[in-house]
Amino acid sequence: MISDWLMSIEGTDAGHKLALLLALSAAFLHAIFGALQKGRHDPWLSRGAIDLSYGLMAAPFALFVVPWPEPHMWPIFVGVYFIHIGYKVLQAMTYTRGAYTVVYPVVRGTGPLFAVIGAGIVFGESFTWVQWLGVAVLLTGIFGFAIYNLRTITVDRDTLGPALGFAVATGLFVALYTTYDAYGIRSTADPFTFLAWFFFIDGLFFTPFVAAYRYRRMANPPELGPLMARGFVGGIIAFLSFGSIMVATRLDDVGEAAVLRETSTVFAALIGWLVLKETVGPRRLALMALIAAGAVIVEMGG
């Protein structure tokens, strides 16, 4: 079984290499996931459609395929549930108040810093001074993106102050769920038990109800077909993105995986450049290079 193979490579060089690949894959997919939620629909509607999709897809695996969680896992799932509610509320409040290109780098920049600190407290992990240098370089690039975009945007400027505050708080919850989910996936014998029940519980028991409430109160609600199609695509991406980073934190250091995931800011800019034909320019290229260099320093300095 895949789960047996994963457990056999935990803490090995092969596990480290796979964790690196999974963290970078999660970064790329998370850039797409964030753009889907911020897209043309209300963020709560988009998130509700995504959560409903991956919750329904996970249900048969949780109930009938993977081993059932051990008794000690149920309190952990309660913690997971409420932490992710806090994250989603803060993220929606951030996205409804600020321009995506400004608030997204702030969220992704504060997350890894807090996650490295949290991993040190919870798991006893420690970064070398070279890795801390890499974190500093990476965060300089990420926050540089936020400042660069802040200077050029013309929309949502009246709500930008609160949006940035919510973005920092969201980053704190990103670190909190990264650390706590790593604790959860390490606490069960089969990592796929945690993944299936995480998506089942997280997807069906909060956000869809909030989204349905907002939908019913809208004067001109969007068509359900395109919204649910976006939710289905987002659900698949969520499985791959969040699943990848969770498995990476079981195989290797939590802090390192969290930092590497934040190269998602680079992927978001590349998607804008290559797919959406946005202008990048020398400043943004330099900031992208800083983020990539920071990730390389973190990886090589371990």
Side-chain angles (χ1 to χ4, degrees):
M1 292 178 61
I2 297 178
S3 57
D4 294 330
W5 175 70
L6 285 175
M7 288 184 284
S8 72
I9 64 172
E10 288 179 21
T12 67
D13 184 59
H16 174 76
K17 291 177 180 177
L18 180 57
L20 171 63
L21 178 62
L22 289 171
L24 292 176
S25 298
F28 172 69
L29 292 165
H30 200 279
I32 301 174
F33 184 85
L36 278 172
Q37 185 177 354
K38 176 59 179 178
R40 59 191 180 93
H41 295 114
D42 174 273
W44 275 113
L45 295 188
S46 297
R47 185 75 207 208
I50 291 170
D51 284 17
L52 179 63
S53 295
Y54 70 58
L56 290 174
M57 287 186 280
F61 291 95
L63 297 173
F64 305 113
V65 178
V66 300
W68 273 62
E70 303 90 333
H72 70 269
M73 289 301 299
W74 297 114
I76 293 175
F77 282 125
V78 171
V80 166
Y81 174 72
F82 284 106
I83 288 172
H84 279 267
I85 285 179
Y87 160 68
K88 292 173 187 177
V89 169
L90 288 168
Q91 186 178 58
M93 294 176 77
T94 300
Y95 283 172
T96 53
R97 286 166 173 79
Y100 176 72
T101 55
V102 175
V103 297
Y104 182 79
V106 174
V107 171
R108 306 323 303 181
T110 52
L113 178 60
F114 292 140
V116 170
I117 296 172
I121 296 172
V122 176
F123 302 111
E125 296 178 6
S126 61
F127 267 24
T128 66
W129 71 267
V130 176
Q131 287 181 300
W132 276 114
L133 175 62
V135 171
V137 172
L138 181 137
L139 294 185
T140 299
I142 291 176
F143 286 118
F145 260 115
I147 295 170
Y148 175 82
N149 293 327
L150 175 63
R151 294 176 59 187
T152 58
I153 66 162
T154 57
V155 297
D156 297 331
R157 295 200 71 91
D158 55 331
T159 58
L160 195 56
L164 291 173
F166 282 120
V168 173
T170 306
L172 175 60
F173 266 75
V174 168
L176 183 59
Y177 81 63
T178 300
T179 307
Y180 193 85
D181 291 350
Y183 170 73
I185 200 170
R186 293 180 179 194
S187 298
T188 184
D190 191 322
F192 291 103
T193 293
F194 179 84
L195 291 176
W197 279 90
F198 163 79
F199 284 112
F200 176 46
I201 295 171
D202 184 65
L204 294 182
F205 298 106
F206 176 69
T207 320
F209 296 101
V210 176
Y213 175 78
R214 290 176 70 89
Y215 186 87
R216 287 196 301 268
R217 292 176 61 88
M218 284 183 168
N220 297 297
E223 294 183 16
L224 279 176
L227 177 62
M228 292 311 300
R230 178 181 290 258
F232 176 77
V233 174
I236 297 296
I237 294 172
F239 272 126
L240 298 173
S241 175
F242 288 93
S244 293
I245 196 63
M246 288 182 198
V247 173
T249 60
R250 172 148 182 168
L251 294 175
D252 203 36
D253 289 347
V254 176
E256 191 169 324
V259 170
L260 293 176
R261 179 183 56 185
E262 302 321 325
T263 54
S264 60
T265 309
V266 172
F267 290 117
L270 288 173
I271 290 169
W273 177 32
L274 298 174
V275 179
L276 303 178
K277 307 303 180 184
E278 295 177 354
T279 302
V280 174
R283 291 187 180 89
R284 296 182 74 187
L285 281 174
L287 292 169
M288 289 163 60
L290 273 178
I291 297 171
V296 171
I297 293 171
V298 169
E299 173 62 20
M300 300 301 293

